[in-house]
Amino acid sequence: MGVRKRERAEGIKEANKKVAFAKLNNCPSSPRKMRLVADLVRGQKVERALSLLRFSSKEASRKLEKLLLSAINNWEQKNEGGDVSAAGLFVKEIRVDGGMMLKRLRPAPQGRAHRIRKRSNHVTVVLGQADNTQSNS
C-alpha cells in the first residue's frame, strides 16, 4: 500500500472513531409514524434525545429509545468505555426508510376484497461527537 493511500485510510479510521451507529430493520410500524418521532430527536444532544423519547406517548418512541441506547453502547465499545456526557455526543443523522410490506386481504361488500398493506420500516441512527476545537472566528 502506498503512502498516500495509507495516510488516507488512517484519516478515515480516525474520523470513524468519532461516529457510531445502530440499525433497526423491519420495525413493524409505518415509516410515516416513525418519522414523526425521528424528527423530534434529529440534531439533539444524546441526553436530551433520550429524555424526549422517554416521555413521548407514541409507540415508535419506545423502539427508537432502545435503538439510541444501542448506538450509545456501540460508541462506548468503540472508544473503550469513554464518558458519554463528556464526549458531547449528538444525533448526527437519523434515517427512516420503508421496509417490507405484508399484503393482506380484507373482505368488502358484494364479494370484493380490499388490500391491506401492513408497512414496516428500517431506522438508522448515527451518533457524532461534537468538536470542541472550533474557533470563534
Side-chain angles (χ1 to χ4, degrees):
M1 187 180 335
V3 175
R4 281 189 313 206
K5 200 170 187 180
R6 186 179 308 116
E7 288 174 355
R8 176 92 171 120
E10 288 171 1
I12 289 172
K13 282 182 188 176
E14 196 61 37
N16 282 342
K17 280 189 178 178
K18 296 181 179 179
V19 175
F21 72 97
K23 290 172 89 172
L24 174 65
N25 287 330
N26 292 324
C27 178
S29 68
S30 73
R32 185 175 181 179
K33 291 176 184 176
M34 187 63 84
R35 280 189 196 108
L36 286 173
V37 179
D39 290 341
L40 289 174
V41 298
R42 185 175 285 120
Q44 300 285 337
K45 289 196 174 282
V46 169
E47 294 85 10
R48 179 161 167 71
L50 281 172
S51 64
L52 282 171
L53 292 173
R54 191 164 291 132
F55 295 110
S56 175
S57 62
K58 297 199 173 283
E59 177 63 31
S61 67
R62 307 287 170 259
K63 295 171 181 157
L64 207 55
E65 179 187 3
K66 197 170 179 181
L67 183 65
L68 187 58
L69 287 171
S70 175
I72 292 169
N73 195 15
N74 290 344
W75 184 86
E76 286 176 346
Q77 287 179 0
K78 189 184 266 189
N79 292 305
E80 289 89 27
D83 189 22
V84 175
S85 58
L89 287 181
F90 69 101
V91 181
K92 184 174 183 179
E93 181 183 346
I94 183 164
R95 198 169 48 244
V96 180
D97 303 320
M100 66 175 223
M101 223 180 296
L102 297 174
K103 293 176 177 131
R104 302 291 182 255
L105 293 177
R106 169 158 290 170
Q110 298 182 354
R112 296 188 186 102
H114 289 158
R115 178 167 287 174
I116 304 256
R117 293 177 301 193
K118 296 188 174 190
R119 300 173 188 268
S120 67
N121 60 59
H122 305 310
V123 187
T124 306
V125 174
V126 179
L127 300 181
Q129 193 170 355
D131 291 332
N132 297 332
T133 60
Q134 294 176 353
S135 62
N136 294 334
S137 349

